[in-house]
Amino acid sequence: MADLAYSKQDYLELDLFTGEEANITCRTVKLVKTRKPHACYFGQNGDGHSTAPGDLARHEKALVDGDYWGSYYLCIRCMDRELADLRGDITALEAASKYRDFSR
């Protein structure tokens, strides 16, 4: 994890669903090394990219409104862009663009 733009805690603490009205319970958030490809949550509505085996990714799962188990993976390069954008950190955003391949 030496090439991460932010701390592990930053990646885990970001709440991507702030303001949602759903009742979220049994929530777990982890940084995992993927064993197989997973669609990136942010890529599903865009370029359709996914993680590759061995990539570091955020994995979150939770029980939503008491009847639906939601689960998603989010790649680190998308997390870098999200954190940089939220913090107004242009330097980190530029660095993420240089060392990460956004074409996957």
Side-chain angles (χ1 to χ4, degrees):
M1 285 196 272
D3 66 344
L4 295 177
Y6 296 95
S7 73
K8 180 179 175 181
Q9 202 63 30
D10 289 332
Y11 294 109
L12 295 173
E13 288 179 352
L14 179 64
D15 186 358
L16 299 172
F17 303 104
T18 299
E20 294 287 327
E21 295 183 16
N23 181 22
I24 306 293
T25 56
C26 303
R27 180 176 179 240
T28 61
V29 180
K30 298 178 182 178
L31 285 183
V32 297
K33 186 178 262 191
T34 59
R35 292 182 290 182
K36 63 181 185 175
H38 293 280
C40 176
Y41 181 72
F42 283 179
Q44 291 175 358
N45 294 322
D47 63 5
H49 70 274
S50 61
T51 65
D55 282 354
L56 191 62
R58 174 187 167 118
H59 180 231
E60 182 170 354
K61 60 184 175 180
L63 184 60
V64 181
D65 292 332
D67 63 356
Y68 171 74
W69 277 99
S71 175
Y72 72 88
Y73 288 83
L74 186 62
C75 71
I76 293 299
R77 60 188 182 273
C78 284
M79 287 290 300
D80 286 348
R81 288 188 299 194
E82 187 71 12
L83 285 163
D85 186 45
L86 288 171
R87 295 176 177 192
D89 189 354
I90 301 303
T91 305
L93 188 56
E94 289 171 352
S97 298
K98 289 178 185 173
Y99 78 87
R100 302 220 188 266
D101 177 10
F102 285 95
S103 64
R104 278 199 261 170

